[in-house]
Amino acid sequence: MAKIITEDTRLQQECTADVLLFGTPKDRLDFYRREIQYETSLLSNRTNAYLTAQSFLVIAFASSMANLNPEWGELFTLVVPSLMAVLGIFSSLHAWPGFRASYVIIDHWHFKQSHLLRSDPVMGKAYDDSPLFNEKESSQKGYRKSLMFSMRTPWLFVIFWLLLASFCIYVQLANASQ
């Protein structure tokens, strides 16, 4: 028997599939929260690894600027720190897409969670006899502010490395002209 698929049948099939997948709205909420926690942990790990790499690069930059070898120290302190600054800029630019991807995924799961809390009156008010969220905690503004450090860090380091490279080149060229 041929079946005509209408919008209503499609929505009914999706609702049936959701029930089979999640069971209850609480299961769905728990799933969303686990996904948010997982992606937040990934973003945190990426940020920690990035900051660790940048800190070692800054230490190497400062050490190479302190080279006092009379024979080749001037050339060394012009070339090596400049290359490290370029490496810092490239690593920052390559870290950005990973941070951005995590941010987008976290944003998606927060959207799904807030939609669930708003669409299901039982879930939105309380499922364990206490308020689940107040508006301040569940707003987009709240969690987005908490992610700004990770989102801004690569761009701050790009600016930092540009300033250090400029300083390095200026110092060496100013000393060479004297």
Side-chain angles (χ1 to χ4, degrees):
M1 173 176 190
K3 187 176 186 180
I4 298 174
I5 297 177
T6 64
E7 185 67 22
D8 291 336
T9 33
R10 189 181 63 78
L11 290 175
Q12 185 181 9
Q13 289 172 348
E14 286 179 5
C15 290
T16 305
D18 286 348
V19 168
L20 293 175
L21 180 63
F22 292 109
T24 67
K26 183 184 180 316
D27 293 339
R28 182 182 292 210
L29 181 64
D30 291 341
F31 174 77
Y32 293 160
R33 289 191 172 166
R34 279 192 308 272
E35 289 299 312
I36 291 169
Q37 182 179 10
Y38 174 74
E39 288 299 329
T40 304
S41 295
L42 279 178
L43 181 60
S44 175
N45 291 340
R46 286 179 181 147
T47 303
N48 287 338
Y50 172 75
L51 289 174
T52 301
Q54 292 295 311
S55 66
F56 282 113
L57 200 53
V58 169
I59 291 168
F61 178 90
S63 297
S64 63
M65 284 295 290
N67 187 345
L68 297 175
N69 188 314
E71 294 176 25
W72 48 273
E74 287 181 19
L75 181 63
F76 181 86
T77 54
L78 175 64
V79 174
V80 173
S82 299
L83 290 175
M84 287 185 190
V86 169
L87 178 63
I89 291 168
F90 280 131
S91 67
S92 295
L93 294 175
H94 284 293
W96 168 248
F99 292 155
R100 179 72 183 148
S102 288
Y103 178 83
V104 168
I105 293 169
I106 291 168
D107 192 43
H108 168 76
W109 289 118
H110 269 283
F111 172 77
K112 299 282 275 183
Q113 174 181 280
S114 68
H115 181 69
L116 174 65
L117 293 173
R118 285 188 179 92
S119 67
D120 191 338
V122 175
M123 291 300 293
K125 291 182 181 175
Y127 69 88
D128 61 357
D129 298 331
S130 63
L132 187 57
F133 284 117
N134 65 30
E135 190 58 34
K136 200 179 228 184
E137 292 171 329
S138 63
S139 70
Q140 285 184 337
K141 194 175 184 182
Y143 75 87
R144 284 184 175 174
K145 278 185 179 180
S146 69
L147 299 175
M148 280 298 111
F149 177 76
S150 293
M151 298 305 296
R152 291 179 180 156
T153 301
W155 297 112
L156 292 173
F157 268 101
V158 165
I159 293 167
F160 174 74
W161 285 115
L162 286 171
L163 291 173
L164 279 181
S166 302
F167 173 75
C168 168
I169 292 169
Y170 170 76
V171 166
Q172 293 305 318
L173 296 179
N175 283 343
S177 65
Q178 290 178 356

